[in-house]
Amino acid sequence: MVSLATSTFSRNLFPRPSLPYVVRALGTTLLQLHPKPTSWGPLSSSWKSCSAHFSASSFNLSKSQNETLGSQDDLVVLGIETSCDDTAAAIVRSNGDILSQVVSSQVVQDALENANLTERDLSAVAVTIGPGLSLCLRVGVQKARKIAGSHNLPIVGVHHMEAHALVARLIEKDLQFPFMALLISGGHNLLILARDLGHYIQLGTTIDDAIGEAYDKTAKWLGLDLRRSGGPAIEELAREGDAKAVKFSTPMKQHKDCNFSYAGLKTQVRLAIESRNINAEIPISSASSEDRSSRADIAASFQRVAVLHLEERCERAIEWALKIEPSIKHLVVSGGVASNQYVRAQLDQVVKKKSLQLVCPPPSLCTDNGVMVAWTGLEHFRMGRYDPPPPANEPEDYVYDLRPRWPLGEEYSEGRSEARSLRTARIHPSLTSLIQASMQQQS
């Protein structure tokens, strides 16, 4: 299923393709479906089998059709995000209006009702196909294909991490390619150079645990209230503590790259908690003043070093990125941890030293959400990257090509780390490599 297949790998080397498709914008058919659709996107059976169906003739739209495709300013896309535990959906218009966003068990129907729309008003359906948990991804993909098939809608497959980066373009209208992005959450630390839509260079990534995981575990070990997740709990308690009270070591000082590691810092925190006889079974609300002060010092010291690791990696990544793309003006920080005000403040200092501007989506768009999926679907859809509608009665045994491990970009040569773990083994080619291969086929 699904698109995302083709972006300009280089503005100068490759032409911009357009795929034939069916578009319903507010009930009006805009373009005619190609009689032999090309199913080579992320949800097709495999890259090899997809390539076999792919040909330059698939892109032969007339000039007027290409102009129509690029000029749509009233597209409406439903986005479905189920890469992890929550299920989210949103409806976004191509002018940037967020018509609705919900997180619940009945997300799609709620999203449509909140937007005062029906499926007939949609132009396309966008859905996360990776990376993420296979079972969770399957829920979203099944729902998306059912809606798209029932209402003859094109479908756009979305890379979860690309969506985190691109949602900033919905908020910040001046954010143009190329730009940098730091994506930080419970499962990911990723530093990328976004050269164009669908063309990313990976400058650094997580080699073990991500920063969000470290925040959550530290909060749990300190007996904090986790109903809002560990990040906000640590940030709040850290305001009471001495950030230099506990001498934690900054991770990976010996590695002069942009990769991240939080497993060692987690161990340091656990040992510090044990040495102070802090009992996580006693909630922070019931702790003595001395015990609370000790916990606050650990929280503050952990946060300082955890974010210092981000700062150091970002500073080096900016230097690398400016060598590749000297015109970079922005660093996007997105993902759940990007809601942390201390993180934003520290990274703002880093980018200002490099004469860049920090761009952070609002907290509601930093965590996993349907808006980022819908917006990313819109961006690719307007470029002609999608799959045609799936069959209305798809067989129950249909095999979805989900991508639980799906790199976003190709690794920067100077960024390869000797400390990389086996957990980063690639199962699927990166989004960027798929795009590059398709463009080479057409050249």
Side-chain angles (χ1 to χ4, degrees):
M1 148 182 150
V2 190
S3 70
L4 282 208
T6 342
S7 161
T8 47
F9 180 73
S10 165
R11 289 189 173 118
N12 299 322
L13 295 181
F14 300 108
R16 177 176 295 174
S18 297
L19 291 177
Y21 64 108
V22 167
V23 178
R24 277 195 179 180
L26 303 178
T28 302
T29 302
L30 298 178
L31 294 179
Q32 185 176 5
L33 177 64
H34 191 283
K36 297 180 68 174
T38 54
S39 281
W40 71 285
L43 291 190
S44 51
S45 58
S46 70
W47 169 239
K48 290 183 178 179
S49 64
C50 293
S51 301
H53 295 133
F54 190 77
S55 67
S57 63
S58 302
F59 295 100
N60 292 331
L61 282 185
S62 68
K63 180 179 179 181
S64 61
Q65 286 175 315
N66 276 312
E67 290 173 349
T68 300
L69 178 61
S71 63
Q72 298 306 316
D73 58 2
D74 199 26
L75 299 171
V76 179
V77 170
L78 165 68
I80 300 174
E81 156 58 31
T82 61
S83 65
C84 199
D85 296 329
D86 291 330
T87 299
I91 297 174
V92 175
R93 197 181 295 278
S94 52
N95 64 0
D97 288 348
I98 299 171
L99 303 182
S100 72
Q101 58 173 320
V102 294
V103 179
S104 72
S105 59
Q106 299 294 325
V107 289
V108 173
Q109 195 57 43
D110 287 349
L112 288 166
E113 290 177 0
N114 291 348
N116 293 317
L117 299 175
T118 69
E119 289 88 347
R120 291 185 178 183
D121 298 316
L122 298 174
S123 307
V125 178
V127 61
T128 302
I129 59 172
L133 303 175
S134 294
L135 291 177
C136 297
L137 291 169
R138 186 177 302 278
V139 171
V141 170
Q142 285 177 331
K143 184 65 175 178
R145 290 181 68 84
K146 183 175 181 180
I147 294 171
S150 299
H151 299 277
N152 200 34
L153 294 168
I155 191 161
V156 183
V158 171
H159 191 294
H160 180 78
M161 302 308 290
E162 183 185 33
H164 272 303
L166 294 186
V167 74
R169 282 167 50 86
L170 182 154
I171 302 302
E172 181 58 61
K173 302 304 181 183
D174 294 332
L175 180 59
Q176 302 294 323
F177 295 102
F179 64 87
M180 286 187 61
L182 170 66
L183 310 177
I184 44 179
S185 65
H188 301 279
N189 271 60
L190 187 63
L191 264 168
I192 61 168
L193 168 58
R195 304 189 76 174
D196 204 345
L197 181 63
H199 180 194
Y200 307 98
I201 296 176
Q202 177 183 296
L203 303 173
T205 189
T206 312
I207 67 169
D208 43 51
D209 295 329
I211 186 172
E213 158 73 7
Y215 265 99
D216 288 342
K217 281 295 173 60
T218 299
K220 180 180 179 181
W221 294 335
L222 289 175
L224 306 188
D225 184 352
L226 298 179
R227 285 177 293 181
R228 294 185 301 156
S229 80
I234 289 290
E235 183 180 16
E236 182 177 340
L237 182 60
R239 297 191 186 105
E240 304 176 21
D242 179 357
K244 295 187 178 181
V246 185
K247 306 302 181 184
F248 294 132
S249 300
T250 308
M252 297 184 70
K253 274 286 193 180
Q254 72 277 22
H255 295 283
K256 305 303 179 183
D257 55 42
C258 298
N259 293 309
F260 302 88
S261 169
Y262 283 94
L265 180 57
K266 280 171 50 181
T267 299
Q268 292 182 67
V269 170
R270 181 174 54 79
L271 293 175
I273 289 172
E274 290 175 356
S275 70
R276 288 162 176 75
N277 296 317
I278 293 172
N279 183 2
E281 298 299 321
I282 300 175
I284 187 72
S285 57
S286 303
S288 66
S289 58
E290 182 180 355
D291 188 13
R292 184 183 182 92
S293 177
S294 182
R295 297 189 199 201
D297 285 347
I298 291 175
S301 299
F302 157 76
Q303 180 167 256
R304 182 184 71 84
V305 174
V307 178
L308 180 59
H309 187 32
L310 290 182
E311 296 173 49
E312 292 179 348
R313 269 27 200 173
C314 281
E315 193 162 354
R316 181 176 292 118
I318 291 171
E319 293 172 359
W320 288 0
L322 286 172
K323 291 179 183 178
I324 304 169
E325 293 279 7
S327 63
I328 291 170
K329 297 179 181 178
H330 299 91
L331 171 66
V332 171
V333 180
S334 189
V337 181
S339 301
N340 184 302
Q341 294 302 311
Y342 179 80
V343 169
R344 294 189 182 204
Q346 294 302 111
L347 292 178
D348 191 45
Q349 295 180 26
V350 171
V351 300
K352 284 180 177 176
K353 285 193 296 184
K354 300 294 184 179
S355 300
L356 301 182
Q357 179 181 342
L358 187 70
V359 178
C360 297
S364 64
L365 298 183
C366 284
T367 54
D368 294 350
N369 61 87
V371 171
M372 69 183 195
V373 177
W375 178 255
T376 301
L378 266 164
E379 290 234 36
H380 284 280
F381 184 71
R382 286 187 291 198
M383 297 286 286
R385 300 171 195 149
Y386 48 81
D387 269 1
N393 298 310
E394 197 161 66
E396 293 185 3
D397 59 352
Y398 185 85
V399 178
Y400 304 110
D401 184 13
L402 308 175
R403 298 177 181 264
R405 291 185 183 177
W406 188 20
L408 179 57
E410 292 302 285
E411 192 174 24
Y412 184 48
S413 58
E414 293 186 36
R416 294 192 176 96
S417 172
E418 297 176 0
R420 296 289 294 277
S421 73
L422 293 177
R423 287 180 58 186
T424 61
R426 293 184 176 184
I427 295 178
H428 296 283
S430 72
L431 172 63
T432 299
S433 68
L434 293 176
I435 289 169
Q436 183 179 11
S438 70
M439 300 306 295
Q440 288 175 343
Q441 278 195 330
Q442 298 168 66
S443 62

